[in-house]
């Protein structure tokens, strides 16, 4: 199975269906690919296989981070500013034509052209019919408005929630120096002009590219990247000359979300800005790994909220709201049945979307605003990224020839050794390395966790205090 995320597919979780989606080929002019999630033990993701036995090192010496995507990691989704090759971002048409092979704007550009052609034909036919019927007594009757456009919706309705949330969401356009890019979504985080979105949405603009954010009322602002976390797939941008009337969206508590809760997603699917869709939380703690699908791609990991609200390329980075309008997650990836990219034969929602829980995203965003760099929790051990349903096995050797268990690190202090298989972290069942990574990253450095592992057929449990690592590399 493949997952389109605006990321790459990762090894599946034992009892959960594969999450990650295949990363689509970038249409010209798109920005904002979305990362995808690691599939569950039901079968390896179709997209972006990474070869047997990749390993990820936590807290290993420089050069071991960020970890390479696990085998079969799903892609982010097409057209994302954040990742070459696909993501939640949908492409947009450039002001001037670019040479072939540039961005991801093909699909959206084609849609725009089709709309214009249809509009032209309609106008021509309308004029012809009117001319032919002129003087024949033809009468056009319009239905009375009856004030319907002035009706106010109650605050608790979907329409009421959408009317309050839309003014605080933006459509993000990111473009690299080479002209590649796409579109994604973001939402107002504070009154200082900070906007939270996915890393893969803005990745194309990092290092000198162009970045802008457009509000539903048409106001458009240039923006800059304040900080981005590839591993978490979270980024913060800041509006230049931000307006004084910004209204941050209220943040909910993703730990209190229950399966069956109503959800409302806002974004720009396939470039269609300010789109609102609804659904429910269909699962929690879904292990997902995603990437942009490129050969050099590094995976993002999450223990995601799964929703059946319709999410498509371009929704990446947008808010997932609860019934009261509070943000409970950041839409980041989708499961797709298509093995192709969004650039050709793009596929859309099949009812399996994944969002980064807002409690985790809030912590990451605050760190990025404070220092510009992400802070990751770690156990200080390298684990196998191969598909498995037995647990996360500590490898015999770490990345780059480093020790599999970092000397003096949390795992070493707890007595863990190469060959040990971690099966639980607190009460969460661990079925693979990617699942362990996603669960660790839901915690903060300094948190105490209970690790259950097997060694030589015997089960053991130890307490471990998580360490920290600053930055993506």
């Amino acid at each position: 199975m493949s997952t389109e995320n605006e990321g790459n597919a990762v090894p599946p979780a034992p009892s959960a269906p594969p999450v990650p989606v295949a990363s689509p080929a970038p249409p010209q002019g798109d920005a904002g690919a979305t990362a995808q999630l690691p599939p569950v033990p039901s079968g390896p993701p179709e997209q972006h296989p990474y070869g047997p036995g990749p390993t990820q090192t936590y807290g290993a010496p420089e050069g071991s981070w960020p970890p390479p995507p696990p085998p079969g990691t799903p892609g982010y989704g097409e057209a994302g500013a954040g990742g070459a090759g696909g993501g939640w971002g949908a492409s947009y048409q450039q002001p001037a034509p670019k040479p072939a092979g540039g961005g991801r704007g093909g699909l959206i550009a084609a849609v725009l052209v089709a709309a214009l052609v249809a509009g032209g034909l309609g106008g021509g036919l309308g004029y012809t019919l009117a001319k032919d019927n002129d003087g024949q007594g033809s009468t056009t009757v319009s239905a009375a408005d009856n004030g319907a456009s002035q009706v106010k919706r109650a605050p608790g309705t979907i329409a009421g929630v959408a009317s309050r949330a839309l003014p605080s969401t933006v459509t993000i356009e990111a473009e690299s120096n080479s002209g590649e890019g796409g579109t994604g979504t973001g939402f107002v985080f504070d009154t200082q002009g900070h906007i939270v979105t996915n890393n893969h949405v803005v990745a194309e603009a990092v290092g000198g590219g162009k970045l802008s954010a457009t509000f539903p009322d048409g106001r458009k602002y240039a923006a800059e990247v304040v900080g981005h976390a590839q591993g978490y797939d979270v980024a913060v941008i800041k509006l230049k000359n931000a307006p004084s009337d910004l209204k941050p969206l209220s943040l909910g508590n993703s730990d209190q979300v229950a399966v069956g809760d109503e959800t409302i997603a806002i974004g720009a699917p396939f470039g269609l800005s300010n789109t609102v869709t609804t659904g429910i939380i269909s699962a929690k703690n879904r292990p997902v790994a995603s990437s942009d699908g490129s050969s050099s791609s590094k995976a993002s990991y999450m223990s995601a909220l799964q929703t059946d609200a319709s999410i498509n390329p371009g929704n990446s980075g947008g808010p997932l709201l609860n019934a009261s309008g509070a943000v409970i997650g950041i839409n980041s990836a989708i499961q797709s049945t298509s093995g192709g990219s969004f650039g050709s034969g793009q596929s859309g929602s099949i009812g399996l979307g994944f969002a980064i829980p807002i409690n985790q995203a809030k912590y990451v965003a605050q760190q990025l605003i404070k220092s510009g760099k992400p802070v990751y929790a770690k156990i200080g051990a390298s684990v196998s990224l191969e598909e498995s349903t037995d647990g996360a096995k500590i490898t015999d050797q770490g990345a780059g020839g480093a020790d599999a268990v970092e000397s003096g690190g949390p795992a070493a202090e707890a007595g863990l050794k190469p060959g040990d298989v971690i099966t639980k972290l607190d009460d969460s069942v661990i079925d693979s390395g990617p699942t362990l990574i996603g669960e660790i990253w839901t915690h903060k450095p300094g948190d105490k966790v209970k690790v259950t592992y097997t060694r030589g057929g015997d089960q053991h449990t130890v307490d471990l205090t998580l360490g920290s690592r600053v930055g993506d590399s």
Side-chain angles (χ1 to χ4, degrees):
M1 301 179 66
S2 77
T3 308
E4 298 183 347
N5 140 345
E6 301 167 58
N8 273 340
V10 172
S15 55
V19 174
V21 178
S23 81
Q28 184 175 6
D30 272 6
T34 315
Q36 296 165 327
L37 317 172
V40 281
S42 52
E46 306 173 348
Q47 259 187 325
H48 317 302
Y50 288 89
T55 60
Q56 172 59 53
T57 299
Y58 298 92
E62 291 300 318
S64 63
W65 177 255
T73 304
Y76 285 104
E78 163 62 6
W88 280 127
S91 60
Y92 63 95
Q93 192 161 10
Q94 300 290 342
K98 302 286 183 185
R104 308 182 193 119
L107 173 66
I108 295 305
V111 172
L112 292 175
V113 170
L116 290 173
V117 170
L121 289 174
L125 289 173
Y127 172 76
T128 301
L129 291 174
K131 181 178 180 181
D132 290 344
N133 290 329
D134 189 23
Q136 296 179 12
S138 175
T139 304
T140 300
V141 180
S142 298
D145 185 322
N146 293 327
S149 60
Q150 304 303 316
V151 175
K152 292 184 178 181
R153 269 62 180 179
T157 63
I158 293 173
V161 170
S163 67
R164 296 194 307 275
L166 276 168
S168 297
T169 62
V170 296
T171 296
I172 297 172
E173 296 179 355
E175 182 182 344
S176 68
N177 291 324
S178 63
E180 294 184 351
T183 63
T185 307
F187 61 91
V188 177
F189 187 68
D190 59 27
T191 57
Q192 285 70 52
H194 290 109
I195 304 292
V196 172
T197 184
N198 282 142
N199 171 70
H200 71 261
V201 169
V202 303
E204 294 285 4
V206 173
K210 295 179 181 179
L211 192 65
S212 67
T214 304
F215 286 86
D217 61 7
R219 290 181 297 170
K220 185 173 184 176
Y221 297 87
E224 59 184 354
V225 178
V226 170
H228 58 105
Q230 181 275 325
Y232 290 122
D233 195 22
V234 173
V236 175
I237 66 175
K238 187 174 184 180
L239 305 179
K240 296 180 179 179
N241 301 314
S244 59
D245 60 348
L246 291 176
K247 295 181 179 180
L249 288 180
S250 60
L251 306 183
N253 185 344
S254 51
D255 289 342
Q256 296 179 354
V257 170
V259 172
D261 282 351
E262 293 179 318
T263 58
I264 301 171
I266 298 178
F270 297 103
L272 302 175
S273 302
N274 316 318
T275 293
V276 177
T277 55
T278 64
I280 62 169
I281 292 293
S282 52
K284 293 178 59 179
N285 305 316
R286 185 69 80 197
V288 170
S290 58
S291 74
D292 62 20
S294 64
S295 59
S296 60
S297 177
K298 294 165 185 171
S300 299
Y301 299 86
M302 69 185 89
S303 181
L305 295 176
Q306 179 179 305
T307 181
D308 65 350
S310 184
I311 296 174
N312 291 285
N315 274 107
S316 284
L320 183 68
L321 311 172
N322 61 19
S324 64
V327 181
I328 54 174
I330 299 177
N331 301 316
S332 301
I334 59 172
Q335 179 72 37
S336 172
T337 57
S338 170
S341 68
F342 277 115
S344 60
Q346 293 187 4
S347 62
S349 173
I350 59 171
L352 291 172
F354 306 95
I356 302 167
I358 195 59
N359 289 8
Q360 177 182 5
K362 176 183 176 181
Y363 164 73
V364 177
Q366 291 173 334
Q367 290 293 325
L368 294 176
I369 292 172
K370 180 180 178 180
S371 66
K373 296 181 179 180
V375 178
Y376 296 91
K378 70 173 186 178
I379 63 170
S382 175
V383 296
S384 171
L385 297 181
E386 291 182 326
E387 290 179 19
S388 168
T389 57
D390 298 328
K393 182 180 180 179
I394 298 179
T395 57
D396 294 327
Q397 189 176 55
D403 292 337
V405 178
E406 179 186 350
S407 178
E413 292 294 324
L416 294 173
K417 299 178 180 180
D420 290 346
V421 179
I422 297 174
T423 57
K424 290 183 71 175
L425 188 74
D426 288 333
D427 295 327
S428 298
V429 174
I430 303 300
D431 63 340
S432 65
T435 300
L436 176 62
I437 299 172
E439 284 298 326
I440 289 174
W441 286 355
T442 63
H443 293 77
K444 300 179 179 64
D447 283 354
K448 293 184 178 180
V449 296
K450 189 177 297 294
V451 175
T452 301
Y453 66 96
T454 59
R455 178 188 296 170
D458 297 325
Q459 181 172 291
H460 307 272
T461 300
V462 295
D463 291 325
L464 180 153
T465 299
L466 296 173
S468 66
R469 180 187 180 98
V470 178
D472 279 316
S473 60

